[in-house]
Amino acid sequence: MLQRIVFLLILSSLASCASDDASDYTEVIDLNERLYAGGETTTFSVTSNAYRTPAPNLSAADLSIHLMGDVDFESVFVTSPSTINQGLGPVFNNSSCISCHIRDGRAGFPTDINARSGLLLRTSLFGTDENGGPLPVPGFGLQVQNQAIFGYSPEANYGVNFSEITEVLADGTVVILKKPQFSLVNAYAAMPSGMLLSPRIGPPVFGLGLLEAMQEADILALQDITDANGDGISGKANYVWDPELGQTVIGRFGWKANTGTIRQQCAAAYVEDMGITNLLFQNETGHDQSNGQDGLTDDPELTHEILDQIVLYCRTLAVPAPRNIDNLQVREGAVIFDQLECAKCHMPRQQTGYSPISAISNQVFYPYTDMLLHDMGEGLADNRPDFLASGREWKTRPLWGIGLTQLVNGHTDFLHDGRARNLTEAILWHGGEGENAKNKFKALTKAKRDALLAFLNSL
Amino acid sequence: MKTGIFSLSLLALASTAIISCSDNEETTNVDTNAQLFSEVLTDLTTDVITSTYNELNTKAMALETAVNTLEASPNATNLAAVKAAWSATRAPWEQSEGFLYGPVDSGGIDPSMDTWPVNVSAMNAILNSNTAITPALIAENPEARGFHLIEFLVWGEDGNKTADELTARELEYLQAAAADLQNNTQILYDGWKVSGGNFGANFINAGNGSNLYPSQKAALQEIIEGLITIADEVGNGKIEGPLNSEGGTPDASLEESRFSNNSKTDFANNIRSIQNIYMGDFNGTSASGLTDIISGSNPTLDAQVKEKITAAISAIENIPGTFSDAIHNNRAAVGNAQAKVAELHTLLQGTVKAYVAGL
């Protein structure tokens, strides 16, 4: 508590000194109330560890589980049999959690599309399964594993080609966007026709517990499915099948909000991304394929304890606080963020309800997401429906911590497949419900664009 | 949500305007420590971090040469030379683990060089296949590469392998693995050196155009957190894991360099990594380090840090026999080393970090 007071005092004092020069400014947003981006789970780290510190308010018992989960998150799996960390594959995308969520952060666009990376391709056939989800592809399932243990064939290699799209801003600045087109090559078996592909890149994992503890009613209250207010924005919640609960739940995680809980997300990542069977998924991802069964009876390969630890870990990472919130350019950028109506989807403030983890219970926090699906236009469309998400819809990404991406991860590749090489490109990719905001961005002067970017980089 | 800045400043005035504004006027743009911080950041980047990676790369080249010699003439002398070259390469690597940020992390170099555990099943499958073993093949099987795979092949699972026991396929694998390791040490060194990726510029120019660190103190926090991270890792991971697996049972299979019995040296070198950064020393070059920031204003803390570093290194080195044996038969000595590392960790985390932030 003392620490918080001191910090606030420092910040407010800085702002006060700047105020003399700034009294001419008509209106700027008071960002002080957003300082605690993760409520009491906020960290003030400004180093490359900013995404991977435990929430400072964890109970001793939760912290102890969190630290075990931290080790699990970095554990590298190897081919069975092994005395340690066995069970990798037979087909997989990568061999540890950390290898796709580097420093608990964001994966960059791979330099070699078939080397281990944080990018993977989901697949499905047109139509839905019995629970309303995407229809698995016979022989490939819902995810194409492009790696395999020695002696086994990966399901396929990935291919990628780029096309260029030129955007011209009002002041004449030209930005060339690169649009990746993914394909499958050297598949281990004949590919059925009509395979839909959707690229996904590993996103940061901090703050997830807060998003999970938001009350469903609060999310639903933000929906405007028919665009009744006529603002061109029609957020919609996804509803997805949770196999462990055996029921449909609101979707919160994944690029299309196609997963309801962190537990489901982690368990699915173990089996689909790494080939590690677990309590929720007891069969290898390719168990009914010629390349997918390891022939061992060691399932589940992951202990229940490790699954519990990893889930708590992903629920309780601290959220980095914004920086430079007293800076006038940043505060001007916050106003522009509102004026462009970015905040209509990247909604700054949210709150949690009760959580059995006391650290994330009843917190006010600032993720900059409405947790809803939005049509993002043809440019971003993957044309692969996922439960209620259409082929053009994506979940609003949280923006918290985004300004630390270069520091933590050494790149600024954004969006679901990492195609945007910086924030400007990411904004220019917005279409559909984000088209108006993008056009207003393009019309800005350079000074105002810079202010908006300064604000985003302060998050 | 929106307020005029005027009301904000009122709010601020109500709290601490007096202190802060006088402070602000005095320090307009000049931090009295700026020159010292600049010296320390420059020296640590150049004379410690980049030099460590240069040394690592040089030793990795020597290891590759030694392995090629062993492949040409697999005899006891050449095997001993490979073992010595492996240990010599291992030392600067462990001494680099106090700064696991930058290219080693964003470039995925750490998992490529130091992946653990060894994927023995994959290695055996590759050895038993007809596939040519090349650095490219190894790069496709990233859990079957790096320091510990080389260690496994050279020493054997029980640490007593002889030159006669090395098969042609194992020698082929060793050559590829040593070449692959050196590829990665090269990437690492190139990533830091001025004529390469020049990652160190982020530190040298901190607060003055650095892409990553808006202030020198932010860069210093990064450096100090690196020390805290490795102290934590040694005490609560590398020692605790094998000493107290499953709630108190010793388990040598969880030990880092158990085939070569190099674990104690590894741990001591990890603490030397802290020492190098703190003192600004590496390989006989004595430059500015964190000590130069702390000693002037707080000689007591400075002496404490130095004492805790030395105590941790001694306690690790004084564990009798091998680490594998000691976790069973000299648990008190291992526990003592762990305690000394924990004291260092606590001092860095609890005092040093905040002290430097407050300078």
Side-chain angles (χ1 to χ4, degrees):
Chain A
M1 193 61 193
L2 181 66
Q3 186 194 353
R4 173 199 283 210
I5 291 167
V6 170
F7 201 90
L8 281 171
L9 290 180
I10 293 167
L11 280 161
S12 48
S13 63
L14 286 171
S16 74
C17 297
S19 65
D20 287 346
D21 304 330
S23 49
D24 293 342
Y25 278 74
T26 50
E27 201 176 35
V28 287
I29 290 183
D30 175 4
L31 294 173
N32 276 293
E33 68 169 27
R34 304 187 196 175
L35 177 61
Y36 282 80
E40 290 166 299
T41 74
T42 305
T43 174
F44 291 94
S45 169
V46 289
T47 70
S48 65
N49 299 309
Y51 295 166
R52 65 174 191 185
T53 60
N57 60 335
L58 285 182
S59 69
D62 285 341
L63 179 60
S64 141
I65 301 170
H66 176 103
L67 293 175
M68 287 188 271
D70 194 355
V71 174
D72 302 331
F73 201 83
E74 298 189 16
S75 288
V76 175
F77 289 94
V78 296
T79 314
S80 296
S82 166
T83 50
I84 305 156
N85 303 350
Q86 69 171 5
L88 179 66
V91 291
F92 60 97
N93 293 104
N94 220 322
S95 60
S96 64
C97 306
I98 198 82
S99 54
C100 294
H101 307 280
I102 299 138
R103 273 183 132 85
D104 293 354
R106 186 182 303 267
F109 193 92
T111 43
D112 173 355
I113 193 72
N114 280 309
R116 304 279 180 88
S117 81
L119 182 131
L120 58 81
L121 295 179
R122 295 269 167 80
T123 189
S124 57
L125 293 176
F126 186 75
T128 54
D129 74 354
E130 68 274 20
N131 299 311
L135 196 58
V137 180
F140 294 87
L142 291 170
Q143 183 167 317
V144 181
Q145 285 82 18
N146 68 337
Q147 308 289 329
I149 59 174
F150 188 79
Y152 285 74
S153 299
E155 290 185 338
N157 293 326
Y158 296 163
V160 64
N161 281 303
F162 297 93
S163 53
E164 292 188 345
I165 296 170
T166 303
E167 289 276 6
V168 183
L169 312 186
D171 67 359
T173 303
V174 174
V175 181
I176 312 262
L177 304 175
K178 281 178 83 177
K179 181 176 186 177
Q181 279 288 354
F182 296 92
S183 58
L184 299 180
V185 287
N186 305 324
Y188 83 104
M191 292 190 287
S193 62
M195 278 175 80
L196 309 175
L197 291 179
S198 178
R200 308 288 171 93
I201 215 149
V205 293
F206 63 82
L208 301 185
L210 295 170
L211 300 177
E212 189 177 46
M214 284 173 67
Q215 293 189 14
E216 184 168 345
D218 287 349
I219 299 174
L220 296 183
L222 305 175
Q223 290 193 118
D224 182 16
I225 297 173
T226 58
D227 190 18
N229 66 2
D231 64 356
I233 296 170
S234 53
K236 171 179 89 178
N238 204 349
Y239 274 91
V240 304
W241 182 250
D242 186 311
E244 188 179 30
L245 301 173
Q247 65 182 69
T248 295
V249 298
I250 190 167
R252 295 173 190 264
F253 302 107
W255 290 93
K256 284 184 171 259
N258 70 345
T259 307
T261 66
I262 295 169
R263 184 173 167 82
Q264 194 68 36
Q265 185 80 30
C266 292
Y270 269 114
V271 76
E272 288 288 320
D273 300 356
M274 298 181 269
I276 303 298
T277 55
N278 57 71
L279 182 64
L280 275 59
F281 297 95
Q282 306 221 0
N283 290 320
E284 296 288 1
T285 173
H287 68 278
D288 54 359
Q289 300 170 200
S290 63
N291 62 342
Q293 185 48 266
D294 62 8
L296 302 171
T297 52
D298 58 351
D299 303 309
E301 291 157 338
L302 194 76
T303 67
H304 306 346
E305 290 77 17
I306 291 182
L307 182 60
D308 289 345
Q309 289 161 11
I310 210 84
V311 170
L312 184 124
Y313 178 75
C314 291
R315 282 178 173 150
T316 54
L317 283 159
V319 174
R323 297 143 319 280
N324 306 320
I325 58 175
D326 56 304
N327 177 289
L328 283 174
Q329 188 189 31
V330 167
R331 297 170 73 190
E332 190 194 347
V335 174
I336 297 168
F337 187 79
D338 269 9
Q339 286 169 347
L340 266 54
E341 300 189 319
C342 309
K344 284 204 165 177
C345 302
H346 291 289
M347 206 165 277
R349 183 183 191 273
Q350 299 293 354
Q351 60 188 7
T352 63
Y354 166 80
S355 165
I357 300 171
S358 59
I360 54 181
S361 220
N362 299 311
Q363 298 292 316
V364 171
F365 61 104
Y366 295 86
Y368 295 84
T369 175
D370 59 4
M371 298 294 279
L372 299 175
L373 299 170
H374 296 275
D375 180 332
M376 293 303 293
E378 194 52 42
L380 283 176
D382 66 349
N383 299 309
R384 176 180 177 269
D386 209 338
F387 292 96
L388 302 186
S390 76
R392 292 163 60 104
E393 287 177 326
W394 300 94
K395 190 194 93 171
T396 309
R397 297 305 304 169
L399 300 179
W400 51 11
I402 200 164
L404 293 165
T405 308
Q406 180 73 43
L407 173 66
V408 176
N409 293 125
H411 67 82
T412 51
D413 298 343
F414 297 114
L415 300 175
H416 65 278
D417 52 11
R419 67 174 70 180
R421 288 162 292 188
N422 52 52
L423 289 171
T424 298
E425 290 192 4
I427 295 166
L428 291 173
W429 275 111
H430 283 60
E433 296 172 41
E435 182 86 22
N436 284 338
K438 177 188 72 176
N439 287 335
K440 286 190 234 171
F441 173 78
K442 289 170 68 176
L444 293 176
T445 61
K446 179 164 191 311
K448 292 204 166 191
R449 288 203 308 273
D450 287 347
L452 180 68
L453 295 175
F455 168 67
L456 293 172
N457 279 316
S458 79
L459 297 178
Chain B
M1 183 170 294
K2 290 180 188 174
T3 61
I5 192 153
F6 188 62
S7 68
L8 174 78
S9 57
L10 273 183
L11 193 81
L13 281 170
S15 37
T16 56
I18 302 165
I19 306 167
S20 67
C21 288
S22 57
D23 190 35
N24 208 15
E25 280 161 24
E26 281 170 40
T27 60
T28 321
N29 252 336
V30 184
D31 185 329
T32 46
N33 290 312
Q35 182 57 35
L36 175 61
F37 288 171
S38 174
E39 235 171 77
V40 170
L41 288 167
T42 303
D43 283 5
L44 288 181
T45 298
T46 308
D47 297 327
V48 179
I49 299 179
T50 311
S51 287
T52 303
Y53 286 137
N54 187 9
E55 170 90 351
L56 172 66
N57 190 39
T58 306
K59 299 294 186 195
M61 288 175 183
L63 173 61
E64 197 183 352
T65 306
V67 165
N68 290 339
T69 306
L70 176 66
E71 196 272 340
S73 317
N75 58 45
T77 308
N78 291 339
L79 179 60
V82 167
K83 287 180 177 178
W86 182 89
S87 300
T89 314
R90 188 78 185 152
W93 169 251
E94 293 300 304
Q95 288 185 24
S96 79
E97 289 195 318
F99 35 91
L100 288 175
Y101 35 76
V104 69
D105 202 61
S106 55
I109 304 298
D110 184 353
S112 305
M113 283 174 50
D114 200 26
T115 188
W116 187 97
V118 176
N119 194 340
V120 177
S121 293
M123 181 191 76
N124 286 333
I126 291 170
L127 286 170
N128 294 329
S129 73
N130 297 318
T131 312
I133 308 175
T134 59
L137 175 76
I138 293 175
E140 287 171 19
N141 294 273
E143 288 73 42
R145 76 202 287 199
F147 272 115
H148 295 298
L149 179 128
I150 296 172
E151 181 196 8
F152 186 97
L153 282 173
V154 169
W155 271 272
E157 184 153 20
D158 301 320
N160 53 9
K161 198 163 186 174
T162 61
D164 304 341
E165 292 169 329
L166 282 165
T167 67
R169 286 289 280 175
E170 286 176 344
L171 288 164
E172 186 182 346
Y173 206 138
L174 267 178
Q175 281 190 294
D180 171 64
L181 187 78
Q182 195 274 319
N183 285 343
N184 284 307
T185 61
Q186 188 73 52
I187 293 169
L188 199 44
Y189 174 48
D190 289 350
W192 278 81
K193 70 180 182 189
V194 176
S195 57
N198 199 12
F199 188 79
N202 291 302
F203 288 89
I204 293 172
N205 301 326
N208 184 25
S210 165
N211 253 343
L212 302 184
Y213 303 106
S215 67
Q216 292 178 315
K217 277 191 191 164
L220 289 168
Q221 290 297 300
E222 182 78 80
I223 286 170
I224 293 168
E225 283 184 16
L227 308 186
I228 293 168
T229 302
I230 193 59
D232 178 51
E233 173 73 20
V234 172
N236 299 323
K238 294 182 178 194
I239 295 180
E240 173 68 11
L243 181 65
N244 290 315
S245 75
E246 307 284 331
T249 326
D251 182 356
S253 71
L254 298 173
E255 184 187 332
E256 187 173 28
S257 296
R258 70 185 166 108
F259 310 122
S260 58
N261 281 321
N262 202 62
S263 298
K264 279 168 27 183
T265 308
D266 278 0
F267 306 159
N269 278 327
N270 280 160
I271 306 301
R272 285 201 181 86
S273 183
I274 297 175
Q275 189 169 45
N276 294 344
I277 292 283
Y278 192 76
M279 302 303 296
D281 294 350
F282 183 71
N283 249 6
T285 302
S286 184
S288 307
L290 296 177
T291 180
D292 297 281
I293 290 174
I294 295 174
S295 60
S297 55
N298 194 339
T300 312
L301 177 60
D302 181 58
Q304 266 182 318
V305 178
K306 289 172 179 164
E307 190 269 320
K308 300 282 182 211
I309 290 172
T310 315
I313 294 173
S314 312
I316 291 166
E317 290 182 335
N318 288 334
I319 296 170
T322 65
F323 190 77
S324 312
D325 178 72
I327 55 174
H328 293 277
N329 301 320
N330 282 294
R331 293 179 59 80
V334 179
N336 176 55
Q338 193 181 26
K340 296 297 180 203
V341 174
E343 284 176 27
L344 174 60
H345 176 251
T346 304
L347 186 65
L348 293 169
Q349 165 120 313
T351 309
V352 172
K353 188 178 161 189
Y355 183 76
V356 173
L359 281 175

